[in-house]
Amino acid sequence: MSIFYKVIIFFLITFSLMFFVSIEINKLTKDTIETLLRDKYIHVSGELFKYLSNSDQKSLDERLKELKFEIIEDEKSYIEKSHILHEYNTEFSSVKILKDKESRYLLYMQYLDDDILVIDLSQDNNFEKKEFLNYMIVADIFILILLCLIILKMVYPLKDISKIIRKFGEGEYCLRIKTGCKDEIGEVAKTFNSMASNIQDLITSRQRLLRDIGHELKTPISKSKIALDMIEDNKYKRILNKALFQIDEMINELLCLEKLNANQNKLKIETFSSDTLVGEALSKLFIEDENLVDITIESSFQIKGDLNYLSIALKNLIDNALKYGTQKPVYVLVKDTNISVKSRGEALDKPLEYYCEAFTQGDNSRNQSGYGLGLSLVRRIVDKHGFELLYYHDGKFNVFELVV
């Protein structure tokens, strides 16, 4: 999951929790104020009732002033628009705690025909504190939203940076990161652009060097082939012809490997049969005697990939088997979704990955342990297709298996 979505999820969770907490705090504050006022009204009602029952209006007014209570004249109107929170009745008296439409708490007392409706003016302070608390919560939520937007704005360029880096890794070396940020992300973009320019220059220089070397080598090879055609056919001519063919193939494979390593060549994906792949691979080999390769196709299957590159890979496996096998023929077996190349010989003394490095050979490279450039190119082609290259020794044969 990307950082962008993680920030959004984190914000939604935090916002939900804060919203829930604000509702609960508001409810708790409201209940607390209501409880405090109710207890206060109940506590002072007894004292005020004494003045009301004695018809001592002067003392009642003085006490109400001390308590910061105010008498409401329009009793009937207020009582009709209020609902009762607490009520206590006797035969001659009645005490009620009311809540009006403006959420203010009132105290109503009645004794015989005398009654009075009062309000605690100090409760306004409590409501002001409650409102201030609500404003603070709203401000916190606003700051949270603002902070989330700032973070999203900061991390959003990372999506473009990740996309460009991925495409750069796929071979689009001309791409650069464009960002106006002057923070750490801007520094990352600037550093990447500098690194990308250096890498592009190195790759271009190496490609130009290899291309020039390949061109320079092909010229004398072509001249040698022309000269060989003028020589009478004999054993030495065939040896030279084969050597020139191998040098030419090595140059082509070296250039091909370089393009694959630099992600310069795009695969031409098509569907073809395993028989077609084997035939194409054999056509690329320089084999004087067809009996050197024994082909068995137990079950043909369809392959989706680049026929040219896969035929080069299979050709290299067969060519290595012919070079380093201790006894001919070499066996090519097509079965299920596997193509196996088997040759007699001792087991490799190192893991397969060791021989898949370019120009890597075993200790006895002059005999049969080396696999040179071939397996490196095979590995790159197989990896490009998402296929698998396996090796095992069954006691007599070295087996290289291409799993499609």
Side-chain angles (χ1 to χ4, degrees):
M1 184 183 295
S2 66
I3 297 176
F4 187 81
Y5 290 111
K6 286 180 179 178
V7 170
I8 292 178
I9 292 173
F10 173 76
F11 165 73
L12 291 175
I13 293 174
T14 307
F15 180 81
S16 300
L17 289 174
M18 184 169 288
F19 185 74
F20 173 76
V21 169
S22 65
I23 292 176
E24 291 299 314
I25 289 176
N26 186 64
K27 182 180 178 182
L28 180 61
T29 304
K30 178 182 175 182
D31 292 341
T32 302
I33 293 175
E34 183 176 300
T35 302
L36 289 174
L37 285 172
R38 185 185 62 190
D39 292 343
K40 183 177 181 180
Y41 281 158
I42 292 174
H43 177 71
V44 302
S45 62
E47 184 180 355
L48 297 177
F49 211 92
K50 179 179 65 174
Y51 300 122
L52 182 64
S53 61
N54 294 331
S55 300
D56 188 355
Q57 187 64 38
K58 182 179 179 181
S59 299
L60 177 62
D61 292 340
E62 290 178 355
R63 186 54 181 159
L64 289 174
K65 187 177 181 180
E66 292 175 359
L67 294 172
K68 294 184 179 180
F69 279 24
E70 183 180 75
I71 298 175
I72 298 176
E73 300 297 338
D74 190 9
E75 299 177 3
K76 185 176 180 181
S77 175
Y78 271 90
I79 293 173
E80 288 177 353
K81 297 177 181 179
S82 304
H83 65 276
I84 300 173
L85 297 178
H86 178 76
E87 184 176 8
Y88 176 74
N89 297 312
T90 64
E91 185 177 354
F92 303 105
S93 64
S94 175
V95 176
K96 296 179 182 178
I97 298 175
L98 308 175
K99 183 178 181 181
D100 66 8
K101 61 180 182 179
E102 297 178 0
S103 298
R104 295 185 304 172
Y105 298 87
L106 313 172
L107 174 62
Y108 175 73
M109 296 181 297
Q110 182 182 20
Y111 179 75
L112 297 178
D113 294 333
D114 296 328
D115 61 355
I116 186 174
L117 179 65
V118 297
I119 182 171
D120 182 6
L121 297 178
S122 64
Q123 67 179 286
D124 292 339
N125 293 330
N126 294 328
F127 286 119
E128 288 176 0
K129 292 179 180 178
K130 176 176 174 292
E131 289 299 318
F132 177 75
L133 180 61
N134 290 337
Y135 288 141
M136 291 298 295
I137 292 174
V138 172
D140 286 343
I141 294 176
F142 176 76
I143 292 173
L144 176 64
I145 295 174
L146 184 63
L147 182 62
C148 178
L149 293 176
I150 293 173
I151 293 174
L152 289 178
K153 184 179 179 181
M154 290 172 59
V155 302
Y156 187 79
L158 291 177
K159 294 180 66 176
D160 293 334
I161 292 175
S162 175
K163 182 179 179 180
I164 291 175
I165 291 176
R166 183 174 63 254
K167 289 186 176 181
F168 186 88
E170 293 172 353
E172 299 184 33
Y173 301 117
C174 60
L175 292 178
R176 297 294 182 271
I177 298 173
K178 298 178 180 179
T179 178
C181 299
K182 296 182 180 180
D183 52 12
E184 287 80 0
I185 293 179
E187 287 297 320
V188 170
K190 184 178 178 181
T191 303
F192 170 81
N193 290 339
S194 176
M195 178 197 69
S197 297
N198 292 334
I199 291 176
Q200 185 180 19
D201 292 342
L202 289 172
I203 291 175
T204 301
S205 299
R206 187 175 65 177
Q207 289 175 346
R208 186 182 298 113
L209 176 62
L210 288 173
R211 188 168 57 247
D212 293 344
I213 290 175
H215 176 75
E216 292 299 324
L217 288 175
K218 282 184 176 292
T219 299
I221 290 174
S222 298
K223 291 180 179 179
S224 299
K225 288 182 178 180
I226 294 173
L228 275 176
D229 290 338
M230 299 178 182
I231 300 176
E232 294 183 2
D233 190 21
N234 55 55
K235 180 177 71 173
Y236 301 107
K237 177 181 178 179
R238 290 193 294 272
I239 293 173
L240 286 173
N241 198 25
K242 184 176 181 180
L244 288 173
F245 176 82
Q246 290 175 339
I247 293 173
D248 194 25
E249 282 296 301
M250 180 174 289
I251 293 172
N252 291 332
E253 289 180 3
L254 183 61
L255 294 175
C256 181
L257 178 61
E258 174 59 25
K259 289 180 179 180
L260 282 176
N261 287 333
N263 292 320
Q264 290 295 304
N265 276 17
K266 301 296 183 181
L267 298 179
K268 183 181 178 181
I269 303 299
E270 55 185 321
T271 302
F272 48 87
S273 67
S274 55
D275 303 19
T276 302
L277 176 59
V278 173
E280 188 70 18
L282 292 175
S283 68
K284 296 180 182 296
L285 281 169
F286 190 91
I287 303 178
E288 297 177 350
D289 186 358
E290 294 183 356
N291 294 324
L292 294 177
V293 181
D294 186 334
I295 300 174
T296 303
I297 300 179
E298 292 190 5
S299 57
S300 181
F301 57 91
Q302 295 296 307
I303 302 172
K304 190 174 182 180
D306 189 306
L307 177 60
N308 178 56
Y309 274 118
L310 288 175
S311 62
I312 291 174
L314 183 57
K315 185 268 293 185
N316 281 353
L317 290 178
I318 298 173
D319 193 37
N320 281 336
L322 290 170
K323 287 179 183 178
Y324 307 116
T326 58
Q327 186 177 338
K328 306 299 185 287
V330 168
Y331 298 93
V332 178
L333 174 62
V334 180
K335 183 179 179 181
D336 298 329
T337 58
N338 300 346
I339 301 178
S340 304
V341 178
K342 302 169 62 176
S343 61
R344 288 184 179 273
E346 297 181 0
L348 301 181
D349 54 355
K350 292 182 175 63
L352 176 62
E353 295 303 322
Y354 172 83
Y355 299 95
C356 288
E357 296 294 328
F359 299 108
T360 298
Q361 295 184 324
D363 296 333
N364 299 323
S365 59
R366 294 180 180 273
N367 297 323
Q368 60 184 16
S369 298
Y371 285 89
L373 182 63
L375 282 182
S376 178
L377 183 56
V378 172
R379 169 62 75 189
R380 286 294 300 164
I381 293 173
V382 169
D383 289 346
K384 271 280 189 180
H385 283 80
F387 298 162
E388 192 174 4
L389 178 65
L390 304 178
Y391 164 78
Y392 60 91
H393 190 270
D394 67 356
K396 296 181 180 179
F397 293 91
N398 285 308
V399 182
F400 290 87
E401 199 168 81
L402 179 62
V403 182
V404 177

Short mmCIF file of all heavy atoms in Angstrom, two decimals, residues 98-130:
data_model
loop_
_atom_site.label_atom_id
_atom_site.label_comp_id
_atom_site.label_asym_id
_atom_site.label_seq_id
_atom_site.Cartn_x
_atom_site.Cartn_y
_atom_site.Cartn_z
N LEU A 98 -36.90 22.70 35.25
CA LEU A 98 -37.30 22.70 33.84
C LEU A 98 -36.11 23.00 32.93
O LEU A 98 -35.10 23.58 33.35
CB LEU A 98 -38.39 23.77 33.63
CG LEU A 98 -39.60 23.72 34.56
CD1 LEU A 98 -40.50 24.91 34.30
CD2 LEU A 98 -40.36 22.41 34.40
N LYS A 99 -36.31 22.65 31.67
CA LYS A 99 -35.30 22.97 30.64
C LYS A 99 -36.05 23.60 29.46
O LYS A 99 -36.93 22.98 28.87
CB LYS A 99 -34.56 21.72 30.18
CG LYS A 99 -33.45 22.01 29.17
CD LYS A 99 -32.72 20.72 28.80
CE LYS A 99 -31.60 21.00 27.81
NZ LYS A 99 -30.91 19.75 27.43
N ASP A 100 -35.70 24.86 29.13
CA ASP A 100 -36.45 25.55 28.07
C ASP A 100 -35.87 25.22 26.69
O ASP A 100 -34.90 24.44 26.56
CB ASP A 100 -36.47 27.05 28.33
CG ASP A 100 -35.09 27.68 28.22
OD1 ASP A 100 -34.14 27.00 27.80
OD2 ASP A 100 -34.95 28.87 28.58
N LYS A 101 -36.46 25.84 25.67
CA LYS A 101 -36.07 25.54 24.29
C LYS A 101 -34.65 26.01 23.97
O LYS A 101 -34.05 25.58 22.97
CB LYS A 101 -37.06 26.16 23.33
CG LYS A 101 -37.15 27.68 23.42
CD LYS A 101 -38.16 28.23 22.43
CE LYS A 101 -38.21 29.76 22.48
NZ LYS A 101 -39.19 30.30 21.50
N GLU A 102 -34.11 26.90 24.78
CA GLU A 102 -32.74 27.38 24.59
C GLU A 102 -31.74 26.62 25.46
O GLU A 102 -30.59 27.06 25.63
CB GLU A 102 -32.67 28.87 24.91
CG GLU A 102 -33.51 29.73 23.99
CD GLU A 102 -33.45 31.21 24.35
OE1 GLU A 102 -32.74 31.54 25.33
OE2 GLU A 102 -34.10 32.01 23.67
N SER A 103 -32.21 25.49 26.00
CA SER A 103 -31.37 24.61 26.83
C SER A 103 -30.91 25.27 28.12
O SER A 103 -29.86 24.93 28.67
CB SER A 103 -30.15 24.11 26.04
OG SER A 103 -30.55 23.35 24.94
N ARG A 104 -31.72 26.22 28.61
CA ARG A 104 -31.43 26.83 29.91
C ARG A 104 -32.26 26.12 30.97
O ARG A 104 -33.40 25.69 30.71
CB ARG A 104 -31.76 28.32 29.90
CG ARG A 104 -30.88 29.12 28.95
CD ARG A 104 -31.17 30.60 29.07
NE ARG A 104 -32.58 30.89 28.85
CZ ARG A 104 -33.14 32.09 29.05
NH1 ARG A 104 -32.39 33.10 29.49
NH2 ARG A 104 -34.42 32.29 28.81
N TYR A 105 -31.70 26.03 32.18
CA TYR A 105 -32.35 25.29 33.26
C TYR A 105 -33.03 26.28 34.23
O TYR A 105 -32.42 27.26 34.67
CB TYR A 105 -31.32 24.43 33.99
CG TYR A 105 -30.69 23.39 33.09
CD1 TYR A 105 -29.55 23.71 32.33
CD2 TYR A 105 -31.24 22.12 32.98
CE1 TYR A 105 -28.99 22.78 31.49
CE2 TYR A 105 -30.67 21.18 32.13
CZ TYR A 105 -29.55 21.51 31.38
OH TYR A 105 -29.00 20.58 30.54
N LEU A 106 -34.30 25.98 34.54
CA LEU A 106 -35.13 26.87 35.37
C LEU A 106 -35.61 26.14 36.62
O LEU A 106 -35.74 24.91 36.61
CB LEU A 106 -36.35 27.36 34.56
CG LEU A 106 -36.08 27.87 33.14
CD1 LEU A 106 -37.40 28.13 32.43
CD2 LEU A 106 -35.23 29.12 33.17
N LEU A 107 -35.89 26.93 37.64
CA LEU A 107 -36.42 26.37 38.89
C LEU A 107 -37.82 26.98 39.13
O LEU A 107 -37.96 28.21 39.25
CB LEU A 107 -35.50 26.69 40.07
CG LEU A 107 -36.01 26.29 41.45
CD1 LEU A 107 -36.22 24.77 41.55
CD2 LEU A 107 -35.05 26.78 42.54
N TYR A 108 -38.80 26.11 39.23
CA TYR A 108 -40.19 26.57 39.47
C TYR A 108 -40.64 26.02 40.82
O TYR A 108 -40.56 24.81 41.09
CB TYR A 108 -41.11 26.05 38.36
CG TYR A 108 -42.57 26.38 38.58
CD1 TYR A 108 -43.04 27.68 38.43
CD2 TYR A 108 -43.47 25.39 38.97
CE1 TYR A 108 -44.38 27.99 38.64
CE2 TYR A 108 -44.80 25.69 39.19
CZ TYR A 108 -45.26 27.00 39.01
OH TYR A 108 -46.59 27.29 39.25
N MET A 109 -41.12 26.94 41.67
CA MET A 109 -41.60 26.56 43.00
C MET A 109 -43.03 27.10 43.20
O MET A 109 -43.31 28.24 42.81
CB MET A 109 -40.68 27.10 44.09
CG MET A 109 -39.27 26.53 44.07
SD MET A 109 -38.24 27.19 45.40
CE MET A 109 -38.21 28.92 44.97
N GLN A 110 -43.85 26.30 43.82
CA GLN A 110 -45.25 26.70 44.06
C GLN A 110 -45.65 26.29 45.48
O GLN A 110 -45.38 25.17 45.91
CB GLN A 110 -46.17 26.02 43.04
CG GLN A 110 -47.63 26.42 43.19
CD GLN A 110 -48.53 25.69 42.20
OE1 GLN A 110 -48.14 24.64 41.67
NE2 GLN A 110 -49.71 26.23 41.97
N TYR A 111 -46.27 27.24 46.17
CA TYR A 111 -46.81 26.95 47.51
C TYR A 111 -48.21 27.56 47.57
O TYR A 111 -48.36 28.79 47.48
CB TYR A 111 -45.94 27.51 48.62
CG TYR A 111 -46.48 27.26 50.01
CD1 TYR A 111 -46.40 25.99 50.57
CD2 TYR A 111 -47.10 28.28 50.71
CE1 TYR A 111 -46.92 25.75 51.84
CE2 TYR A 111 -47.63 28.05 51.99
CZ TYR A 111 -47.53 26.77 52.54
OH TYR A 111 -48.06 26.53 53.79
N LEU A 112 -49.21 26.70 47.71
CA LEU A 112 -50.62 27.12 47.68
C LEU A 112 -50.85 27.94 46.41
O LEU A 112 -50.66 27.45 45.30
CB LEU A 112 -50.98 27.89 48.95
CG LEU A 112 -50.87 27.10 50.27
CD1 LEU A 112 -51.20 27.99 51.47
CD2 LEU A 112 -51.77 25.87 50.24
N ASP A 113 -51.21 29.21 46.57
CA ASP A 113 -51.48 30.02 45.38
C ASP A 113 -50.28 30.85 44.95
O ASP A 113 -50.34 31.56 43.94
CB ASP A 113 -52.67 30.96 45.66
CG ASP A 113 -53.96 30.20 45.86
OD1 ASP A 113 -54.06 29.09 45.28
OD2 ASP A 113 -54.84 30.69 46.57
N ASP A 114 -49.20 30.79 45.73
CA ASP A 114 -47.99 31.55 45.38
C ASP A 114 -47.03 30.66 44.59
O ASP A 114 -46.82 29.48 44.93
CB ASP A 114 -47.30 32.06 46.65
CG ASP A 114 -48.16 33.04 47.42
OD1 ASP A 114 -48.93 33.78 46.76
OD2 ASP A 114 -48.07 33.05 48.66
N ASP A 115 -46.45 31.24 43.57
CA ASP A 115 -45.44 30.49 42.80
C ASP A 115 -44.36 31.44 42.31
O ASP A 115 -44.55 32.67 42.31
CB ASP A 115 -46.07 29.74 41.62
CG ASP A 115 -46.75 30.69 40.64
OD1 ASP A 115 -46.81 31.91 40.94
OD2 ASP A 115 -47.21 30.24 39.59
N ILE A 116 -43.26 30.88 41.89
CA ILE A 116 -42.12 31.68 41.42
C ILE A 116 -41.29 30.84 40.44
O ILE A 116 -41.12 29.63 40.62
CB ILE A 116 -41.25 32.16 42.61
CG1 ILE A 116 -40.15 33.12 42.12
CG2 ILE A 116 -40.65 30.98 43.35
CD1 ILE A 116 -39.36 33.73 43.25
N LEU A 117 -40.82 31.50 39.39
CA LEU A 117 -39.95 30.86 38.38
C LEU A 117 -38.65 31.63 38.32
O LEU A 117 -38.65 32.84 38.04
CB LEU A 117 -40.63 30.85 37.00
CG LEU A 117 -39.82 30.23 35.86
CD1 LEU A 117 -39.63 28.73 36.11
CD2 LEU A 117 -40.52 30.45 34.52
N VAL A 118 -37.52 30.97 38.60
CA VAL A 118 -36.22 31.64 38.64
C VAL A 118 -35.23 30.89 37.73
O VAL A 118 -35.41 29.71 37.40
CB VAL A 118 -35.66 31.71 40.08
CG1 VAL A 118 -36.57 32.54 40.97
CG2 VAL A 118 -35.47 30.31 40.65
N ILE A 119 -34.18 31.59 37.39
CA ILE A 119 -33.10 31.02 36.57
C ILE A 119 -31.75 31.38 37.18
O ILE A 119 -31.58 32.51 37.69
CB ILE A 119 -33.19 31.53 35.11
CG1 ILE A 119 -32.08 30.88 34.27
CG2 ILE A 119 -33.09 33.05 35.04
CD1 ILE A 119 -32.23 31.16 32.79
N ASP A 120 -30.83 30.44 37.14
CA ASP A 120 -29.48 30.66 37.66
C ASP A 120 -28.66 31.34 36.57
O ASP A 120 -28.34 30.73 35.53
CB ASP A 120 -28.87 29.33 38.06
CG ASP A 120 -27.48 29.50 38.66
OD1 ASP A 120 -27.06 30.66 38.86
OD2 ASP A 120 -26.83 28.47 38.94
N LEU A 121 -28.31 32.60 36.79
CA LEU A 121 -27.55 33.35 35.77
C LEU A 121 -26.12 32.83 35.61
O LEU A 121 -25.51 33.02 34.56
CB LEU A 121 -27.52 34.84 36.15
CG LEU A 121 -28.89 35.55 36.20
CD1 LEU A 121 -28.72 36.99 36.63
CD2 LEU A 121 -29.59 35.46 34.86
N SER A 122 -25.60 32.19 36.63
CA SER A 122 -24.21 31.69 36.55
C SER A 122 -24.06 30.53 35.58
O SER A 122 -22.94 30.18 35.19
CB SER A 122 -23.73 31.27 37.94
OG SER A 122 -24.49 30.18 38.43
N GLN A 123 -25.20 29.93 35.20
CA GLN A 123 -25.09 28.80 34.27
C GLN A 123 -24.61 29.25 32.89
O GLN A 123 -24.10 28.44 32.11
CB GLN A 123 -26.43 28.06 34.13
CG GLN A 123 -27.54 28.88 33.47
CD GLN A 123 -28.83 28.11 33.33
OE1 GLN A 123 -28.93 27.22 32.49
NE2 GLN A 123 -29.80 28.43 34.20
N ASP A 124 -24.75 30.56 32.60
CA ASP A 124 -24.26 31.06 31.32
C ASP A 124 -22.75 30.86 31.20
O ASP A 124 -22.22 30.59 30.12
CB ASP A 124 -24.60 32.54 31.17
CG ASP A 124 -26.10 32.77 31.01
OD1 ASP A 124 -26.79 31.80 30.62
OD2 ASP A 124 -26.56 33.90 31.28
N ASN A 125 -22.06 31.01 32.34
CA ASN A 125 -20.60 30.78 32.31
C ASN A 125 -20.28 29.33 31.95
O ASN A 125 -19.33 29.05 31.20
CB ASN A 125 -19.99 31.12 33.67
CG ASN A 125 -20.07 32.60 33.98
OD1 ASN A 125 -20.04 33.42 33.06
ND2 ASN A 125 -20.16 32.95 35.26
N ASN A 126 -21.07 28.42 32.49
CA ASN A 126 -20.85 26.99 32.18
C ASN A 126 -21.09 26.72 30.69
O ASN A 126 -20.33 25.99 30.05
CB ASN A 126 -21.78 26.12 33.02
CG ASN A 126 -21.46 26.19 34.50
OD1 ASN A 126 -20.29 26.36 34.87
ND2 ASN A 126 -22.47 26.08 35.35
N PHE A 127 -22.15 27.34 30.16
CA PHE A 127 -22.43 27.14 28.75
C PHE A 127 -21.37 27.79 27.86
O PHE A 127 -21.03 27.26 26.79
CB PHE A 127 -23.82 27.69 28.41
CG PHE A 127 -24.95 26.83 28.91
CD1 PHE A 127 -25.87 27.34 29.82
CD2 PHE A 127 -25.08 25.52 28.49
CE1 PHE A 127 -26.91 26.54 30.29
CE2 PHE A 127 -26.11 24.72 28.96
CZ PHE A 127 -27.03 25.24 29.86
N GLU A 128 -20.85 28.92 28.32
CA GLU A 128 -19.78 29.55 27.56
C GLU A 128 -18.52 28.67 27.53
O GLU A 128 -17.85 28.56 26.50
CB GLU A 128 -19.45 30.91 28.18
CG GLU A 128 -20.52 31.98 27.94
CD GLU A 128 -20.21 33.28 28.65
OE1 GLU A 128 -19.14 33.33 29.33
OE2 GLU A 128 -21.01 34.23 28.54
N LYS A 129 -18.22 28.06 28.65
CA LYS A 129 -17.08 27.13 28.69
C LYS A 129 -17.32 25.92 27.79
O LYS A 129 -16.42 25.43 27.13
CB LYS A 129 -16.83 26.68 30.13
CG LYS A 129 -16.32 27.79 31.04
CD LYS A 129 -16.12 27.29 32.45
CE LYS A 129 -15.62 28.39 33.37
NZ LYS A 129 -15.46 27.93 34.76
N LYS A 130 -18.57 25.48 27.81
CA LYS A 130 -18.93 24.34 26.95
C LYS A 130 -18.78 24.71 25.48
O LYS A 130 -18.24 23.93 24.67
CB LYS A 130 -20.35 23.90 27.26
CG LYS A 130 -20.89 22.78 26.38
CD LYS A 130 -22.26 22.36 26.83
CE LYS A 130 -22.89 21.36 25.88
NZ LYS A 130 -23.22 21.95 24.58
#
